[in-house]
Amino acid sequence: MSQKKATSTPAPPDARVTMDKIVSLCARRGFIFPSGDIYGGINGFWDYGPLGVELKNNLKAFWWQRVVRERDDVVGIDSAIITHPRTWDASGHTENFSDPMVDCRACKRRFRADQLEDAGRCDAREGSSEHDFTEPRNFNLMLQTQIGASADASLVAHLRPETCQPIFTDFKRVREVARQKVPFGIAQIGKAFRNEITPRNFTFRSREFEQAELEFFVHPSEREKWFEHWKAERMQFHLDLGFRKESLRSRPHAEDELAHYANAAEDVEFLFPFDWQEIEGIHDRGDWDLSRHTEYSGKDLSYSDPEARQSFTPMVIETSMGVDRTCLALLIGAYEEEDLGEGDVRSVLHLSPAVAPVKVAVLPLSKKLAEPARELERTLRRRWSCAYDESGNIGRRYRRQDEIGTPWCVTFDFDSQEDAKVTLRDRDSMQQERVAIEDLVPVLRERMERAG
Ligand code: GAP
């Protein structure tokens, strides 16, 4: 994938974009829907359908390309979701990773103590709709499981609440096998789990989600320089994904909101329909993690600089993107109900071609043209994710592709057999042009590279 900037033309901010519309589009077209839906769903868990998994995989591939492959100072890993239980004592999660919560004594529901304005009414009390809250107490957000067949011998373990800790425990080995010198980074994409008290806003706050994290190890004298470097890099990444400038902002954390491991932090925030909210955190974690794992494991995780003949514990600059939140933000940012006049409104997703689930759709004008159109589709499918649709009138078929964000449609008509040309339609401008079939692959390739 190219690192060039996406050039699709996203719509101006549209007040008509609501969470209900996005949730409904996602369910209707199979992007994202509740997990275990036939049993009534399970709060905080979501399944990605055929289009959703393409969107998510494209986002992860874009990130991996940018953060790992295009740099010679970052390497990747893929670690286990369950790791040694001591990891979480050392990282501080056993002690600190909690939210204050309260229970209602009457209806038995549980709420975050800092979000009581969302608690709604109590339906279990007589003569009052007010909840009868307990005092706040801390509730650890790590999801617990047991390892081993026998209950006696079983070991309590936790599903990782962030993907980065194995990067710290593997730091020494990975640095050595990759023959890297500080400054360098280790990246990973994977599942994380948090037993959120109140999952909400669709996939925004889930109990199972994915993170794309980079831990960048630097000399203590260079931590500010690298913090600035990664803040700029990460904002550019989101702009290159096709987000409008005015839908993103950076927000530094105040002293009292810093996580237990952070010396400084800045969020990349997106303007969701419900508020500005974080999609990525950039943290100066100092030497918190490596020092704690050294202390708890007894293994020295310091670094010996061969040139400076100096040994030190590296400082860590972290970038942590929520994959699901960014997918949700991409859908919201790309969605437009475009007024075409005379009551005609077109639903369109202006997704960058780099992340669009389907890159090109082949549409024969008539079912009689299925054979040559299928042949063309097979040629395109070897290179890109394609759709083929021969049902309904052509206008309706274009609209179906617009709604899922397909950047280009190729229409094979009766003339195509005579002049060996097809009609190429652009999703954003809706402009159509005739292109020779033999030029179609290079033309599309050139446009995709230009778009990022
Ligand atoms: N390792 C640092 C860390 O985990 P975080 O700010 O807690 O930092 C990083 O999480 C990102 O993970 C967030 O910016 C967000 O996008 C995503 N994230 C965190 N909790 C989430 C949840 N419950 N559901 C979906 N995404 C979540």
Side-chain angles (χ1 to χ4, degrees):
M1 210 170 305
S2 150
Q3 82 277 43
K4 283 183 218 126
K5 194 171 182 302
T7 54
S8 62
T9 47
D14 186 346
R16 290 175 292 188
V17 183
T18 63
M19 286 306 289
D20 283 349
K21 284 181 184 170
I22 298 296
V23 173
S24 150
L25 170 71
C26 284
R28 185 159 31 85
R29 299 307 307 268
F31 279 93
I32 309 167
F33 36 83
S35 187
D37 206 14
I38 59 166
Y39 294 105
I42 168 166
N43 203 4
F45 297 89
W46 300 93
D47 290 346
Y48 285 68
L51 296 176
V53 70
E54 291 290 339
L55 172 69
K56 198 180 201 191
N57 283 344
N58 290 341
L59 171 61
K60 290 192 283 186
F62 195 84
W63 188 91
W64 196 261
Q65 176 67 19
R66 255 314 179 60
V67 176
V68 183
R69 295 224 175 120
E70 285 177 17
R71 301 186 62 115
D72 62 2
D73 57 358
V74 176
V75 294
I77 63 164
D78 180 20
S79 73
I81 284 172
I82 293 174
T83 186
H84 196 285
R86 288 287 281 164
T87 305
W88 307 112
D89 299 333
S91 69
H93 284 79
T94 311
E95 191 185 345
N96 298 313
F97 195 57
S98 53
D99 276 342
M101 58 98 188
V102 297
D103 291 313
C104 173
R105 294 186 188 90
C107 66
K108 311 291 181 214
R109 283 163 64 205
R110 181 165 284 179
F111 305 96
R112 266 174 69 156
D114 56 351
Q115 290 173 358
L116 292 183
E117 66 281 6
D118 299 334
R121 301 162 90 82
C122 176
D123 47 21
R125 290 180 75 185
E126 278 182 25
S128 170
S129 58
E130 300 272 304
H131 290 285
D132 178 14
F133 289 130
T134 58
E135 285 300 306
R137 50 198 168 99
N138 277 335
F139 173 76
N140 194 290
L141 298 183
M142 284 196 292
L143 270 162
Q144 196 170 298
T145 187
Q146 279 186 317
I147 303 170
S150 126
D152 292 344
S154 76
L155 193 65
V156 170
H158 292 95
L159 308 186
R160 62 186 180 199
E162 57 178 9
T163 54
C164 61
Q165 287 305 323
I167 293 180
F168 301 124
T169 55
D170 289 349
F171 162 73
K172 204 172 169 68
R173 180 186 298 250
V174 174
R175 193 197 65 72
E176 284 167 7
V177 295
R179 305 180 67 218
Q180 287 282 348
K181 290 181 184 158
V182 170
F184 84 104
I186 305 176
Q188 115 153 302
I189 300 178
K191 292 272 189 182
F193 301 82
R194 296 183 188 178
N195 202 1
E196 299 283 357
I197 301 166
T198 45
R200 60 182 178 168
N201 286 325
F202 196 24
T203 57
F204 177 83
R205 192 176 303 288
S206 309
R207 287 176 166 143
E208 174 177 342
F209 55 96
E210 275 187 90
Q211 291 183 318
E213 297 202 299
L214 165 71
E215 308 305 315
F216 201 79
F217 301 91
V218 305
H219 187 274
S221 65
E222 296 199 315
R223 62 198 288 195
E224 273 169 42
K225 178 182 107 180
W226 284 106
F227 190 44
E228 294 306 314
H229 169 89
W230 282 109
K231 283 193 301 193
E233 276 285 311
R234 297 309 301 149
M235 183 53 88
Q236 191 56 48
F237 171 90
H238 289 285
L239 292 171
D240 292 352
L241 269 179
F243 283 116
R244 289 188 315 275
K245 226 178 178 146
E246 61 274 23
S247 68
L248 293 177
R249 72 177 188 189
S250 317
R251 193 184 64 81
H253 278 208
E255 190 95 350
D256 62 355
E257 12 162 22
L258 290 173
H260 63 270
Y261 51 74
N263 297 301
E266 188 161 299
D267 289 343
V268 177
E269 293 191 336
F270 173 76
L271 183 55
F272 287 90
F274 44 90
D275 205 354
W276 284 101
Q277 286 290 347
E278 167 188 356
I279 54 174
E280 166 151 359
I282 297 129
H283 308 119
D284 173 351
R285 296 181 75 118
D287 64 353
W288 164 265
D289 303 277
L290 291 183
S291 296
R292 292 276 291 198
H293 287 301
T294 296
E295 183 190 333
Y296 278 69
S297 69
K299 303 282 177 343
D300 179 14
L301 297 178
S302 65
Y303 169 73
S304 295
D305 186 331
E307 275 135 43
R309 301 219 179 124
Q310 185 195 31
S311 196
F312 59 90
T313 301
M315 301 280 156
V316 172
I317 306 301
E318 171 185 75
T319 73
S320 178
M321 179 184 84
V323 176
D324 306 80
R325 270 192 202 175
T326 306
C327 279
L328 179 59
L330 281 170
L331 289 167
I332 292 166
Y335 183 81
E336 185 190 16
E337 290 177 5
E338 192 183 358
D339 199 339
L340 300 178
E342 297 174 7
D344 187 11
V345 176
R346 159 175 103 119
S347 288
V348 53
L349 282 181
H350 297 281
L351 289 170
S352 154
V355 292
V358 176
K359 311 290 185 221
V360 52
V362 177
L363 317 173
L365 200 59
S366 152
K367 286 186 182 164
K368 290 184 191 137
L369 298 166
E371 208 182 301
R374 278 284 190 197
E375 197 184 314
L376 180 59
E377 181 218 350
R378 275 194 294 276
T379 305
L380 298 177
R381 203 176 270 287
R382 281 199 288 273
R383 292 159 179 89
W384 302 293
S385 68
C386 285
Y388 177 87
D389 187 1
E390 58 180 26
S391 62
N393 74 45
I394 192 72
R396 206 167 300 147
R397 280 185 271 164
Y398 284 148
R399 294 296 173 88
R400 277 205 287 267
Q401 296 303 322
D402 290 343
E403 197 186 38
I404 62 166
T406 307
W408 297 284
C409 288
V410 172
T411 306
F412 197 100
D413 57 26
F414 289 101
D415 289 342
S416 303
Q417 289 183 307
E418 307 302 319
D419 64 4
K421 289 182 175 171
V422 285
T423 300
L424 182 62
R425 175 196 183 258
D426 181 272
R427 173 198 67 201
D428 296 332
S429 66
M430 293 194 285
Q431 276 175 0
Q432 303 185 6
E433 64 192 294
R434 292 294 280 179
V435 174
I437 292 173
E438 63 173 7
D439 292 340
L440 193 59
V441 167
V443 165
L444 284 170
R445 185 180 294 127
E446 193 271 325
R447 285 183 198 188
M448 275 182 224
E449 278 179 10
R450 197 161 12 113

